[in-house]
Amino acid sequence: DKRSISHLNKNEQKILVKAREKIKKIQTDLVHSKGLNENEVKVAVKAGLIDADQGWWWHEEWQKGERGATEAIEKGEIWGPFEDAKEAIDALKRTKV
């Protein structure tokens, strides 16, 4: 359930507009998006747009890692998941590192 934004001041409302845009972009195009800054996370939490305990995930620092992982998966640079340790070891033996 989303909280009313009427309790946000004018500056927070402007910040919320940017946060919404970034969140939508992350949800639709993770690789080409940018995460929220600290103020955007705080306002998005205050407005009920994101859960307080998940604010870290939306932050730009974390999104850099998400973009990197997504790009690596798309390039075939990440393997797995593996059923067991033997399968993982076999995959490592087949690679040229």
Side-chain angles (χ1 to χ4, degrees):
D1 100 287
K2 304 293 181 218
R3 297 176 202 132
S4 169
I5 65 165
S6 62
H7 66 283
L8 300 177
N9 65 41
K10 293 282 186 192
N11 187 50
E12 290 173 327
Q13 290 178 20
K14 289 179 185 178
I15 292 170
L16 184 60
V17 169
K18 290 181 181 180
R20 279 189 173 140
E21 291 171 1
K22 287 182 177 182
I23 289 169
K24 184 177 180 181
K25 181 78 171 178
I26 291 168
Q27 292 171 329
T28 58
D29 187 8
L30 180 65
V31 173
H32 300 104
S33 64
K34 185 173 181 180
L36 282 62
N37 64 38
E38 193 64 35
N39 286 334
E40 292 165 339
V41 169
K42 287 178 185 177
V43 171
V45 167
K46 186 175 179 180
L49 196 56
I50 60 176
D51 291 334
D53 62 346
Q54 295 178 355
W56 56 269
W57 190 88
W58 297 96
H59 200 279
E60 173 57 16
E61 185 177 332
W62 189 268
Q63 288 303 308
K64 284 180 187 176
E66 292 289 334
R67 288 190 300 270
T70 300
E71 289 170 350
I73 290 168
E74 289 174 356
K75 292 178 183 177
E77 298 172 346
I78 295 181
W79 319 305
F82 302 107
E83 293 294 321
D84 54 38
K86 181 184 180 321
E87 189 178 332
I89 291 168
D90 290 343
L92 287 171
K93 288 179 181 177
R94 290 190 303 269
T95 62
K96 297 175 185 174
V97 181

